[in-house]
Amino acid sequence: MTVQLASILGLWGSYLPSFMRGLVITMEITGLGLAVAVVLGAILAGFKLSKFKALRVIATVYVDIIRSIPVLVLLFLAYYGLGQLGLTLSGIASATAALGAFYAALLCEIFRGGVQGVERGQREAADALGLGRVSGFVRVILPQAVLRILPPSTNQLSNIIKDSSLVVTIGVADLMARSYEASATTFEPMDMFVLAGLIYMALYLVIARAIGRWELNVQRRRG
Amino acid sequence: MSSDVVVELDGVRKCFGPRVIFDDVSLSVHRSEVVAVIGPSGAGKSTLIRCINQLNTFEKGVIRVLGHEVYGTEEGRPPLRRDDLRRLRTEIGMVFQTFNLFPHLSVMKNVMLAPQRVKGRSEAEAAAQAQELLEMIGLSHRKDAYPRQLSGGEQQRVAICRALAMEPEVMLFDEPTSMLDPELVGEVLAAIRRLAVDGMTMILVTHEMMFAKEIADTVVVVADGGIAEMGPAKEVLSTPKTERARSFLERVLLHTGGDTGPQAAASEGGFDAASGGFDDPTLSWSREVDEKGLR
Amino acid sequence: MSAITLYTGAMLQGAVITLELTAGATVVSLIAGAAGAVGRLYGPRTLKAFIFGYVETIRGLPAILQLFILYFGLTQFGIDVPAYWAAFIWLCLYGTGYAIEIFRAGLQGIPEGQHEATAALGLTRFEAMRRVIIPQAWVAMLPALTNFVVLELKNTTLVYFIGVQDIMFHARLGVSNSGQPLAIYGIAALIYIVLNGTISRVGGILEKRAAIAS
């Protein structure tokens, strides 16, 4: 038993540097995908809350369609499909595009719900005080909406981390791909995948904790 | 335990964690007796009656309901078997502060559910009984409505029917009117009054002092971790003997004095806070509601 | 053009496998998930802790990593499961983790007063669950359950990786044989849009009906 454990730990030790380089790529893809998703999601949410029907329809159609397509299909469309149109994207760029496009649809709904969840009375109070549309939104609505938006967004962030592992299918050397490769060379797939799993879990926990802290801080500052 | 005692508490202590809510509470409720439990909020009035049907457990002492005995968790007795607990509860009807009707069932089905599922009545039997109860309480025209379509007062009257459908030996009321708008209080009190007249044994936690004085045989004042005073309703409410009971009653009546609701107006006219006494409790508004609510 | 028609046909055949896996895993996951949620909420402490750990593991790990652990891990221990069944078992295990969470949230969303009212009336726990708690929780859970089926269906896209011949499997094959990724993955996307759109639509109808009924 101890011999086995020692050999597993030895194996993990020798592959850890490679896995860590993979982790950097995983985080890179996650960060880029999240950035695109937040920006695009905010724009779409703006469309949904707009008074122009055309914009609302565009956002609704986008969200409904994109949400129904598996991320893997989006990834293949970005990586292989766009290449056919002469727009060749790198693996990381494809992943950014696919994750960004998909999670923008989910974040759009979260943002919209968060803004709409702030009572109407708040908007009216801002109007009554003569705050303009923009400063009313930025100073009054948004700070309150943030607290409603954060928890479900954290959830989506963890989903982006997990879905970034799909790049193993297009040959990007992320954490997942490295564990796959290592499992093929060592013939110890269980050990390699478990190590990768632990790292994924740790990454998620660290991020969730950091965001949780921040959330708590914001809440505390506001009493 | 004399033969006509329905509920008996003997040395009951209840704690939440390290905090003792009340201790050494002893009380006997006889058949057809109406007991009103009053006292400041947070004193554990609701907890006290919830111990009787074991929605709350308690630590010390024993509670007897007819043939059933429930011991405190620290009395070293084996816990009540689940079936015995259910049997105990079928003897006791409970009406909650928040009504707790089943929102997915119609008024009729709310009343029929337990007789069918617990007593094994046929649907026809249960329906006939529910119909009768709803007629008695003046709600048979609302039998197909769903709870959320009813006013608070109507919901609470349905909740009373639901409890009565199990033909309980004793009814517990946990502040049945405190969630209601003032104008809806009367109809619920009228329904409870009707039960009292019919001889139902009842334990009622309430803030309606005038109502307590009118229908209760016995008033129990719960304050500061135990029973501060207990005795015939009119005596306790008009000439409380203990300081704790007196100070509570003065505070309550001063507090409601400024209100405009019917019961508040009644207490204003009916109670002289300085001398600590009530005058005639027969109030015109309650008779009015009686006629409106329960024909 | 004919290559695309050919592979579209193949993908539609793959859709049967996709739907088979989705439907089968959904049924198993919902049953196991309901039982798991009851255990998570009302079971003895060790069971609660075990189920909590299970759910967090399933929710914390990338889907594809889970599939690999199951498929390659089993092989490593000399257990040879056909790819189709490995995929099915994984979808069930995965779905159960998520279903437990959905049921738990649904059951916990029912106010305490409802439980108390059933207890005060002397209903058995089983009857209380069946007549009062579950009928209410069901309505509240419907949107989450619709999303759940969509999630399971999307997860089936990963099973081509271990050789199960679903939609993606035929799409990959078609792309490598015809060199038409845009068209073929586009059609695959369309098939998924139709399937998931149908599920969402059915879920929406059920929600409306449930809302009217209560």
Side-chain angles (χ1 to χ4, degrees):
Chain A
M1 192 64 207
T2 43
V3 176
Q4 229 178 14
L5 191 65
S7 84
I8 289 176
L9 288 178
L11 201 60
W12 281 7
S14 62
Y15 275 93
L16 200 59
S18 156
F19 277 32
M20 283 303 162
R21 281 195 297 279
L23 177 64
V24 171
I25 295 179
T26 292
M27 288 168 72
E28 215 176 295
I29 297 171
T30 302
L32 290 169
L34 178 70
V36 172
V38 167
V39 173
L40 187 56
I43 293 171
L44 286 167
F47 279 19
K48 277 220 159 178
L49 294 168
S50 152
K51 51 184 164 191
F52 301 109
K53 192 173 181 199
L55 293 183
R56 292 203 303 269
V57 170
I58 290 172
T60 305
V61 169
Y62 177 87
V63 168
D64 282 356
I65 287 184
I66 291 289
R67 265 208 305 207
S68 318
I69 305 176
V71 180
L72 190 61
V73 178
L74 290 175
L75 183 65
F76 286 168
L77 276 171
Y79 189 66
Y80 299 108
L82 291 181
Q84 208 185 347
L85 294 178
L87 184 69
T88 307
L89 295 182
S90 71
I92 290 182
S94 311
T96 304
L99 290 171
F102 183 80
Y103 283 97
L106 301 193
L107 289 182
C108 160
E109 289 297 292
I110 292 172
F111 293 166
R112 184 188 56 82
V115 170
Q116 281 184 335
V118 178
E119 301 168 64
R120 198 203 171 97
Q122 293 291 317
R123 175 89 253 182
E124 285 172 354
D127 287 345
L129 289 170
L131 290 173
R133 269 186 68 81
V134 175
S135 67
F137 183 77
V138 174
R139 309 257 161 213
V140 178
I141 307 296
L142 206 54
Q144 299 183 61
V146 163
L147 280 184
R148 296 165 173 276
I149 288 169
L150 265 183
S153 301
T154 318
N155 244 340
Q156 294 309 332
L157 172 57
S158 101
N159 286 338
I160 298 180
I161 297 175
K162 288 186 280 173
D163 277 354
S164 73
S165 65
L166 294 174
V167 296
V168 65
T169 58
I170 56 171
V172 175
D174 76 327
L175 177 56
M176 182 67 225
R178 281 167 199 262
S179 71
Y180 184 60
E181 217 171 280
S183 77
T185 46
T186 59
F187 297 103
E188 303 277 4
M190 204 60 166
D191 303 346
M192 291 295 124
F193 290 140
V194 167
L195 177 59
L198 290 175
I199 298 174
Y200 273 114
M201 283 288 237
L203 175 63
Y204 167 68
L205 288 178
V206 167
I207 292 177
R209 228 196 135 103
I211 294 180
R213 280 247 175 104
W214 183 52
E215 223 178 285
L216 216 69
N217 259 335
V218 173
Q219 269 169 345
R220 216 172 275 157
R221 242 182 303 146
R222 295 185 191 165
Chain B
M1 191 162 172
S2 77
S3 64
D4 75 332
V5 173
V6 180
V7 177
E8 185 179 17
L9 284 73
D10 192 355
V12 173
R13 175 201 291 173
K14 169 70 192 171
C15 312
F16 281 123
R19 205 162 71 93
V20 178
I21 306 299
F22 48 75
D23 196 3
D24 201 24
V25 167
S26 298
L27 170 71
S28 296
V29 181
H30 296 78
R31 190 166 297 287
S32 295
E33 186 178 355
V34 178
V35 175
V37 180
I38 62 173
S41 52
K45 308 181 296 287
S46 295
T47 311
L48 180 66
I49 66 164
R50 287 162 61 91
C51 285
I52 296 171
N53 68 348
Q54 284 287 289
L55 286 181
N56 284 134
T57 54
F58 54 97
E59 277 70 32
K60 289 272 181 199
V62 57
I63 295 179
R64 298 188 187 87
V65 181
L66 299 160
H68 309 269
E69 271 186 331
V70 186
Y71 285 89
T73 51
E74 289 170 10
E75 292 286 347
R77 307 266 183 150
L80 208 58
R81 291 191 11 247
R82 198 178 280 178
D83 278 351
D84 293 334
L85 176 60
R86 284 205 311 113
R87 238 165 269 138
L88 164 76
R89 283 171 170 165
T90 56
E91 312 261 26
I92 305 170
M94 173 115 185
V95 175
F96 297 89
Q97 186 178 3
T98 49
F99 328 139
N100 296 351
L101 290 181
F102 304 131
H104 63 300
L105 299 178
S106 68
V107 164
M108 264 304 248
K109 297 275 180 201
N110 260 282
V111 180
M112 289 162 62
L113 179 71
Q116 275 184 280
R117 300 298 151 197
V118 179
K119 294 210 157 164
R121 299 236 166 96
S122 72
E123 186 166 350
E125 280 176 302
Q129 185 203 19
Q131 178 74 33
E132 198 179 307
L133 284 167
L134 290 170
E135 263 163 31
M136 178 196 87
I137 219 123
L139 279 176
S140 57
H141 62 294
R142 302 291 269 149
K143 67 181 179 189
D144 294 320
Y146 282 88
R148 82 169 71 117
Q149 300 165 326
L150 304 179
S151 73
E154 288 172 328
Q155 287 192 48
Q156 194 60 300
R157 282 149 69 198
V158 173
I160 292 172
C161 287
R162 180 177 71 176
L164 288 175
M166 288 299 285
E167 294 159 357
E169 294 291 330
V170 53
M171 286 280 283
L172 307 177
F173 291 89
D174 185 2
E175 301 193 22
T177 58
S178 60
M179 297 288 280
L180 296 175
D181 291 338
E183 74 271 19
L184 301 177
V185 168
E187 62 185 78
V188 172
L189 296 185
I192 299 172
R193 180 181 298 115
R194 161 86 179 245
L195 295 182
V197 170
D198 288 350
M200 174 62 77
T201 313
M202 299 198 282
I203 304 175
L204 167 76
V205 173
T206 186
H207 291 297
E208 309 282 342
M209 296 302 151
M210 293 313 296
F211 184 67
K213 189 173 185 185
E214 178 204 333
I215 73 156
D217 302 301
T218 306
V219 162
V220 176
V221 183
V222 176
D224 304 325
I227 293 182
E229 186 162 338
M230 172 164 66
K234 305 217 161 69
E235 273 174 38
V236 174
L237 290 172
S238 26
T239 51
K241 290 181 187 67
T242 64
E243 181 50 41
R244 283 186 298 173
R246 192 175 311 137
S247 82
F248 163 70
L249 284 168
E250 276 170 17
R251 257 179 294 134
V252 174
L253 295 161
L254 283 176
H255 187 72
T256 49
D259 266 347
T260 48
Q263 67 277 35
S267 49
E268 221 171 22
F271 181 69
D272 180 357
S275 71
F278 283 99
D279 63 18
D280 187 358
T282 325
L283 294 161
S284 57
W285 66 267
S286 60
R287 258 187 268 116
E288 239 170 62
V289 179
D290 228 359
E291 282 154 23
K292 263 191 274 173
L294 285 180
R295 211 165 339 165
Chain C
M1 194 61 216
S2 67
I4 289 173
T5 330
L6 181 70
Y7 288 110
T8 302
M11 281 192 282
L12 287 175
Q13 277 174 6
V16 175
I17 305 271
T18 295
L19 284 176
E20 238 174 63
L21 286 171
T22 305
T26 297
V27 170
V28 173
S29 304
L30 290 183
I31 293 168
V38 171
R40 168 89 172 78
L41 289 174
Y42 310 112
R45 190 178 293 187
T46 44
L47 184 65
K48 281 183 185 170
F50 172 78
I51 294 175
F52 174 77
Y54 177 79
V55 170
E56 287 306 300
T57 309
I58 292 287
R59 298 209 312 167
L61 294 182
I64 199 163
L65 183 65
Q66 293 176 30
L67 177 62
F68 286 177
I69 288 178
L70 186 81
Y71 186 63
F72 296 113
L74 284 179
T75 327
Q76 188 185 352
F77 290 119
I79 306 165
D80 202 11
V81 183
Y84 180 90
W85 290 107
F88 181 73
I89 292 168
W90 168 62
L91 285 167
C92 290
L93 291 173
Y94 180 94
T96 299
Y98 279 81
I100 288 172
E101 266 310 281
I102 294 173
F103 284 117
R104 185 194 59 79
L107 291 177
Q108 276 189 327
I110 303 301
E112 187 54 29
Q114 293 290 308
H115 290 276
E116 288 182 352
T118 60
L121 288 170
L123 290 169
T124 59
R125 252 193 193 180
F126 177 76
E127 285 284 352
M129 276 287 164
R130 178 164 159 209
R131 309 275 166 189
V132 176
I133 306 303
I134 290 175
Q136 290 181 63
W138 167 246
V139 179
M141 287 183 320
L142 266 177
L145 288 175
T146 309
N147 281 340
F148 172 80
V149 183
V150 170
L151 182 74
E152 279 286 62
L153 192 136
K154 284 188 196 160
N155 268 325
T156 61
T157 54
L158 303 181
V159 302
Y160 87 86
F161 222 86
I162 59 171
V164 179
Q165 306 195 355
D166 74 327
I167 299 173
M168 283 308 271
F169 180 89
H170 291 289
R172 302 274 295 176
L173 203 66
V175 169
S176 63
N177 288 345
S178 70
Q180 299 269 1
L182 195 62
I184 289 184
Y185 288 135
I187 290 166
L190 259 179
I191 297 176
Y192 282 112
I193 290 170
V194 170
L195 294 180
N196 283 327
T198 309
I199 294 168
S200 301
R201 186 64 57 82
V202 171
I205 292 170
L206 285 178
E207 275 167 50
K208 226 171 253 167
R209 255 201 222 157
I212 290 167
S214 59

